[in-house]
Amino acid sequence: MSTKNEQLFMQARKHIPGGVNSPVRAFAGVGGTPVFMHKASGSKIYDTEDNAYIDYIGSWGPMILGHAHPKVIDAVKKAADDGLSFGTPTPFETTVADKICDLVPSVDMIRMTSSGTEATMSAIRLARGYTGRDNIVKFEGCYHGHSDSLLVKAGSGMLDIGEPTSKGVPTDFAKHTITLPYNDPQAIKDCFEKWGDTIACVIVEPIAGNMNMVIPDQAFHDTLREQCTANGSVLIFDEVMTGFRIGINGAQGHFGIEPDLTCFGKIIGAGLPVGAFGGKREIMEQIAPMGGVYQAGTLSGNPLAMRAGIAMFEDLTVDGFYDELSAKVADLVDGIQAAADKHGIHLRTNKLGGMFGMFFVSDKDAGVPKNFDEVTACDMTAFNTFFHGMLKRGIYLAPSAYEAGFMSIKHSDTDIKDTIDAADEVFAEMA
């Protein structure tokens, strides 16, 4: 790592806690010093000394068209010329709302926010207001932002009330959050049998992108939908990561499930700070000013983000876009898997649409992880070695074994080949 980068990190730590404004950027999971970037274009990001890295984070998902897409940048520049924020309605908010409601059948109405955390927090408040109930259900290994009710781990038993995982979260908040094992239909049935008439909502990552990338069984989602319907609970799909990433209809389209509410993240603004939650009309009409559930935001529906999103959706909705994106992911992941197999590295992979996951399992007979316990049993040391080996070769992966990878439409065949070749070299060293 360059001396300049070390100096930048030292300087950052003077006035920014840990030197970063979001914990995963600190390289705490993989060790070493985070790389400071100053620009990006297409499939690549560039550090402060202009070293290029093939990027598989894509700002944690939204850069599906590649960095600095000319059409998106042009839309943002034109929007900026007209003013950065008005605090009034704009026609651009309506255009984005219409587009999302048109593309996602479960969404009748939608409310813009400024982040995914705001979207999930507001959706849970709405579900509680709509049902008149307090308890919520979440799953181990799923992350839905940093609001108090969601920073909760499981209690002493599978069906015990939880306890906070972050200092500053009152235990009284945590007692209304029930945490279940992911991808376990029986746990859902047991939970609803015990607490069904107290559960306001279930919130779930339909594909868990915050424990690498865990794709659950169809039975998991079928059971969720059945139990929520039978017990009058609101089913919330947190598609902040999967929405418009794995397909134009998101994970709900893949699984054929209609949630009651859906949360979206920064992809709807082409990477600018934005989020949204939407769903069934009768639920969404409970939001102020129509109903008694309060939610607000001065920057919600910010014109820069809306106009960037409008430009992005023009490309996402072109026939064949996701087929091409999926093919790129398949070429990459299959190539890396083949290289791992050649060198006897115990690697397991997942892929769907524009997302992928890589797991270094500790046992040659282990399958692809299906839940949080299986993910945490993976070989983190092997991942860290792989991460740094790839970084040294100009490949930028998420600096955590618990994060999914993302492909953009701008990744070229050469990018993919270079990535596979780099992986082959690292696996040879690891073997």
Side-chain angles (χ1 to χ4, degrees):
M1 192 56 60
S2 73
T3 305
K4 182 179 181 183
N5 212 68
E6 296 280 4
Q7 289 172 343
L8 287 169
F9 192 41
M10 190 184 304
Q11 184 181 343
R13 281 180 294 188
K14 185 178 178 183
H15 290 131
I16 301 173
V20 294
N21 283 306
S22 193
V24 76
R25 300 177 194 170
F27 277 34
V30 293
T33 304
V35 184
F36 282 68
M37 303 297 174
H38 79 120
K39 68 178 182 181
S41 177
S43 63
K44 296 180 177 69
I45 51 178
Y46 298 83
D47 68 19
T48 54
E49 294 176 323
D50 272 338
N51 298 304
Y53 301 80
I54 302 171
D55 178 32
Y56 292 102
I57 297 181
S59 190
W60 304 98
M63 297 306 173
I64 192 168
L65 298 184
H67 292 282
H69 189 285
K71 183 192 290 187
V72 173
I73 297 298
D74 187 50
V76 173
K77 285 178 176 176
K78 287 179 178 174
D81 285 342
D82 291 338
L84 300 181
S85 177
F86 313 139
T88 70
T90 71
F92 315 113
E93 299 163 68
T94 306
T95 302
V96 175
D98 289 347
K99 177 58 70 177
I100 294 171
C101 290
D102 181 50
L103 293 172
V104 186
S106 69
V107 179
D108 299 325
M109 303 183 85
I110 192 161
R111 170 65 62 88
M112 302 299 165
T113 63
S114 293
S115 70
T117 289
E118 272 187 61
T120 56
M121 177 182 73
S122 303
I124 287 170
R125 181 184 302 156
L126 174 57
R128 282 173 161 154
Y130 175 72
T131 60
R133 302 170 180 177
D134 291 334
N135 286 342
I136 67 170
V137 174
K138 66 179 284 289
F139 294 91
E140 289 175 334
C142 289
Y143 176 72
H144 308 287
H146 58 267
S147 59
D148 286 350
S149 297
L150 295 168
L151 291 178
V152 174
K153 66 182 176 184
S156 56
M158 187 177 74
L159 291 178
D160 271 350
I161 295 296
E163 56 185 273
T165 51
S166 170
K167 290 181 179 178
V169 177
T171 305
D172 280 356
F173 283 24
K175 75 180 183 184
H176 291 300
T177 303
I178 303 160
T179 306
L180 301 180
Y182 192 72
N183 202 20
D184 185 340
Q186 189 58 49
I188 297 166
K189 293 175 184 173
D190 292 346
C191 174
F192 273 97
E193 187 176 341
K194 184 171 182 179
W195 282 306
D197 60 354
T198 73
I199 295 171
C201 64
V202 177
I203 186 166
V204 64
E205 283 187 272
I207 293 168
N210 284 288
M211 48 176 156
N212 205 317
M213 183 187 178
V214 176
I215 304 174
D217 301 325
Q218 183 68 42
F220 174 71
H221 282 306
D222 290 343
T223 303
L224 269 180
R225 182 65 277 177
E226 289 162 8
Q227 291 296 319
C228 284
T229 301
N231 289 275
S233 303
V234 174
L235 177 57
I236 304 172
F237 266 23
D238 177 354
E239 296 231 41
V240 165
M241 216 176 255
T242 54
F244 308 110
R245 282 286 339 175
I246 64 164
I248 199 66
N249 308 124
Q252 56 196 269
H254 173 75
F255 288 106
I257 297 288
E258 282 213 357
D260 301 306
L261 293 175
T262 302
C263 299
F264 300 100
K266 49 200 171 293
I267 193 168
I268 66 170
L272 271 70
V274 65
F277 63 101
K280 291 183 176 176
R281 183 173 299 274
E282 63 267 28
I283 302 177
M284 291 301 294
E285 286 179 342
Q286 302 304 308
I287 284 278
M290 294 187 75
V293 178
Y294 194 73
Q295 185 276 336
T298 302
L299 294 176
S300 298
N302 176 272
L304 272 67
M306 295 296 95
R307 288 170 74 168
I310 291 165
M312 179 206 65
F313 275 117
E314 288 177 5
D315 280 20
L316 295 197
T317 49
V318 170
D319 281 350
F321 178 90
Y322 287 96
D323 293 334
E324 183 182 347
L325 188 69
S326 297
K328 289 177 186 289
V329 170
D331 288 346
L332 174 74
V333 172
D334 293 349
I336 292 176
Q337 183 69 66
D341 293 343
K342 181 174 84 173
H343 295 289
I345 302 295
H346 303 152
L347 182 73
R348 301 292 178 268
T349 54
N350 260 342
K351 58 182 183 288
L352 192 63
M355 292 176 65
F356 62 90
M358 294 186 284
F359 306 89
F360 289 86
V361 295
S362 45
D363 183 341
K364 66 181 176 63
D365 298 319
V368 178
K370 287 288 192 177
N371 56 48
F372 187 61
D373 286 346
E374 292 179 12
V375 172
T376 54
C378 287
D379 188 340
M380 300 302 163
T381 303
F383 172 82
N384 294 351
T385 302
F386 179 68
F387 169 82
H388 282 290
M390 295 296 275
L391 186 67
K392 191 169 73 174
R393 290 165 175 81
I395 313 297
Y396 202 89
L397 302 169
S400 166
Y402 295 101
E403 300 288 351
F406 298 95
M407 179 69 72
S408 84
I409 204 71
K410 289 296 184 185
H411 281 77
S412 66
D413 291 344
T414 302
D415 289 333
I416 292 168
K417 182 183 183 301
D418 289 348
T419 305
I420 294 167
D421 289 346
D424 186 60
E425 290 180 12
V426 178
F427 290 147
E429 290 179 358
M430 291 171 68

